[in-house]
Amino acid sequence: MAPTETLESIIATSGPPPHFVLVPLVAQGHIIPMVDLAHLLAERGARASLITTPVNAARLHSVADGARRAKLPLEIVELPFPPADDVLPQGCENVDQVTDNDHFLPLFHAIHRLAGPLESYLRALARRPSCIISDWCNSWTAGVASSVGIPRLFFHGPSCFYSLCDLNASTHGLHERAYTSATAEAEGHETYVVPGMPVRVEVTKATCVGFLDAPGFEAFREDCLEAIRTADGAVVNTFLDLEEQFVACYEAALGKPVWALGPFYINSNRDAQSMTSRGRKTSVDQSAVTEWLDAMDPGSVIYVSFGSIAQKLPKQLYEVGHGLEDSGQPLLWVVKDAEAALPEAAEWLKALEARTVGRGLVLRGWAPQLAILSHRAVGGFVTHCGWNSLLESIAHGVPIVTWPHFADQFLNERLAVDVLGIGVPVGAALPVMLFGDEAVPVVRGDVARAVSELMDGGEVAEERRRKAREYGERAHRAMEKGGSSYENLTLLIQSFRLSGGKETRHTGLQKEQQEKQIMSC
Ligand SMILES: *[C@@H]1O[C@H](CO)[C@@H](O)[C@H](O)[C@H]1NC(C)=O
Ligand SMILES: *[C@@H]1O[C@H](CO)[C@@H](O)[C@H](O)[C@H]1NC(C)=O
């Protein structure tokens, strides 16, 4: 490269732009970052095609419309939902529609059968796409990519801290088995230290099971791990100034490039509407929420939401509500429609609203989280530690109360509390089953204590806030021109433009990466 040529100018002048085919898992927490990634790619001139099924595509209408209005090379590609086993209810195409623990596997099996339709779609294109970026759980794309001859990157949703722990623990056979509530209660508190981590990470056996480490999922998980081994690289929704050593060590452990491009959602050019919905209609009037927040003191409100999957029974909701009320703090709490639909819960929530009138707002359904987190009245977030929520909180400089429920969430909590110093644990020690788990692992006293500790005016709380603000600033810098995520995206797009879909360059890239990283880990 001549010294006067920048990567940008090369991208602008050399050949047709690369075409990325994105294949998210059919779960809200996986679709949202992929939609954001598609925008990032398209805004930088690459073509982005996001593959999904009819129910999910219908939720993405506003995304497609917004892209059309902005003349972005971004499209939603709808493939027919494949025939499913009889147990899967008709029309169930997303994890958030599942109402029974036994429906997850049939849903994943059905999605697996998209391999044929995806291959036909790819072969019918006038030009072979440059690269597939698929959720690591969509291991079925590995066969499609190799059969059509396209490089494949996997997208892994959580922090690299989690991904590295998971990889190392499973390599050492430490994910022994899944725990039910009963066995977890009995033996799950036993701890071990995750091997090979650059910092000491001690976890309990019950909270540190791997993703998909559940009975019946063994073959599925094995396929997913194999698809990681055979991929050409990884794309992650994080940034170097947040967890550089874990990104570097994950890269070294995988032996292939890891492109840290996040936080994906930070994208100045998107209109508010497409940012708010991102694949799910908000059932909440955003201006009413903003108006309510406007009346609150800066940094005084505690925002509470547990993501798209976990559902609480009434007796569990009551512990959350009483705890928030007892903290004495202004509260903005998001309750799911399904949770609020039960008559006894509905009545109880009304009574809570009556008791906290003027300082409490309960939202029912899917809330405009980015608008809430960006409001100056919000001073803390009680979160389940799903990575999207955690990263959004970090990027807005909002410190958190950590209440992990399952999967990667317990390790994301360790990162937030022990490594970043921006969280207060509520004290959740055991994972919850997704539906119908009767246990009440966290009680009102825990909630009130953690919220008060987070929101108080003391030095420790102030230091936590200072750190959160600092990471928030770094997140935005990473996404600006010259920032690490921005420049990693430049490199990603450039490498696929040069390779034009051939795999050879990527093998070279991988080697280079491996040598560089092994030295630093
Ligand atoms: C664990 O993590 C380290 C990086 O800290 C990596 O170098 C190593 O290969 C990983 N794997 C195992 C099995 O320890
Ligand atoms: C991402 O950028 C950093 C420097 O900002 C660089 O060291 C790293 O190699 C880049 N990652 C990839 C996969 O190119």
Side-chain angles (χ1 to χ4, degrees), residues 234 240 244 251 257-260 483-485 487-488 491-492 509 513 516-517:
L240 295 183
E244 182 157 22
E251 207 165 40
V258 172
W259 314 90
S484 67
S485 295
E487 296 308 329
N488 270 191
L491 290 169
L492 174 69
L509 259 184
Q513 207 76 37
K516 191 174 69 197
Q517 292 303 342

Side-chain angles (χ1 to χ4, degrees), residues 399-433:
I400 56 179
V401 165
T402 56
W403 184 339
H405 286 60
F406 52 84
D408 57 318
Q409 297 162 10
F410 286 91
L411 279 164
N412 292 339
E413 173 185 55
R414 294 265 68 78
L415 174 67
V417 174
D418 301 341
V419 181
L420 304 176
I422 57 163
V424 177
V426 82
L430 293 172
V432 294
M433 301 291 286

Side-chain angles (χ1 to χ4, degrees), residues 26-27 53-56 59 80-111 435:
V26 288
T53 63
V55 166
N56 295 296
R59 296 179 181 189
F81 192 76
D85 309 357
D86 293 341
V87 290
L88 192 68
Q90 190 72 27
C92 179
E93 299 185 12
N94 188 300
V95 167
D96 68 10
Q97 296 173 294
V98 170
T99 52
D100 184 321
N101 288 317
D102 291 336
H103 292 169
F104 287 111
L105 206 50
L107 174 60
F108 290 154
H109 281 153
I111 291 298
F435 301 107

Side-chain angles (χ1 to χ4, degrees), residues 156-498:
H156 205 0
S159 58
C160 278
F161 175 84
Y162 166 81
S163 301
L164 183 64
C165 285
D166 185 46
L167 189 68
N168 276 1
S170 70
T171 311
H172 289 267
L174 290 166
H175 293 151
E176 298 161 12
R177 62 194 181 84
Y179 289 83
T180 63
S181 300
T183 54
E185 192 63 68
E187 344 151 31
H189 295 286
E190 226 178 291
T191 60
Y192 66 83
V193 174
V194 182
M197 289 298 286
V199 297
R200 185 184 159 84
V201 185
E202 192 175 316
V203 295
T204 66
K205 285 188 170 179
T207 57
C208 246
V209 292
F211 247 120
L212 301 172
D213 233 344
F217 281 75
E218 295 81 2
F220 189 82
R221 178 173 158 90
E222 202 30 65
D223 284 350
C224 294
L225 293 175
E226 180 59 20
I228 285 183
R229 286 188 280 270
T230 57
D232 296 289
V235 169
V236 290
N237 189 10
T238 188
F239 57 102
L240 295 183
D241 238 1
L242 183 71
E243 46 162 359
E244 182 157 22
Q245 58 176 333
F246 305 114
V247 177
C249 291
Y250 188 48
E251 207 165 40
L254 288 173
K256 53 190 86 187
V258 172
W259 314 90
L261 309 177
F264 295 169
Y265 90 84
I266 296 181
N267 184 341
S268 48
N269 295 326
R270 291 191 43 203
D271 61 52
Q273 201 203 339
S274 76
M275 277 316 276
T276 301
S277 54
R278 279 142 99 228
R280 181 102 174 228
K281 272 207 265 339
T282 46
S283 35
V284 166
D285 176 8
Q286 186 170 327
S287 55
V289 177
T290 307
E291 211 170 285
W292 185 86
L293 285 168
D294 285 346
M296 298 292 144
D297 290 337
S300 68
V301 175
I302 182 85
Y303 166 58
V304 187
S305 169
F306 300 106
S308 60
I309 297 177
Q311 285 187 18
K312 296 197 186 313
L313 297 174
K315 63 178 178 182
Q316 297 157 337
L317 283 181
Y318 303 161
E319 296 304 314
V320 181
H322 277 303
L324 293 172
E325 190 181 355
D326 293 349
S327 77
Q329 215 65 44
L331 63 103
L332 201 177
W333 179 19
V334 183
V335 177
K336 290 187 182 63
D337 285 325
E339 295 168 333
L342 298 172
E344 65 173 303
E347 207 170 297
W348 189 88
L349 288 168
K350 280 218 184 78
L352 173 76
E353 286 176 298
R355 288 196 305 275
T356 57
V357 72
R359 71 165 182 98
L361 181 63
V362 179
L363 302 180
R364 293 156 181 85
W366 186 252
Q369 179 154 301
L370 291 177
I372 293 170
L373 284 172
S374 65
H375 199 287
R376 63 190 225 303
V378 173
F381 180 12
V382 179
T383 170
H384 66 308
C385 296
W387 186 243
N388 298 326
S389 284
L390 193 45
L391 195 60
E392 287 171 6
S393 203
I394 288 170
H396 285 99
V398 175
I400 56 179
V401 165
T402 56
W403 184 339
H405 286 60
F406 52 84
D408 57 318
Q409 297 162 10
F410 286 91
L411 279 164
N412 292 339
E413 173 185 55
R414 294 265 68 78
L415 174 67
V417 174
D418 301 341
V419 181
L420 304 176
I422 57 163
V424 177
V426 82
L430 293 172
V432 294
M433 301 291 286
L434 295 188
F435 301 107
D437 194 329
E438 289 281 327
V440 184
V442 172
V443 295
R444 60 192 72 181
D446 301 324
V447 178
R449 175 203 41 83
V451 169
S452 301
E453 205 176 316
L454 187 78
M455 305 295 279
D456 90 18
E459 235 170 77
V460 179
E462 192 43 56
E463 174 65 6
R464 218 179 276 122
R465 277 189 281 275
R466 194 195 58 73
K467 284 186 177 154
R469 270 196 306 272
E470 166 79 28
Y471 284 117
E473 283 156 21
R474 293 185 190 182
H476 285 85
R477 274 203 299 275
M479 295 302 281
E480 282 162 14
K481 201 166 179 181
S484 67
S485 295
Y486 185 97
E487 296 308 329
N488 270 191
L489 184 59
T490 308
L491 290 169
L492 174 69
I493 293 174
Q494 190 219 21
S495 79
F496 281 99
R497 181 187 296 272
L498 296 181

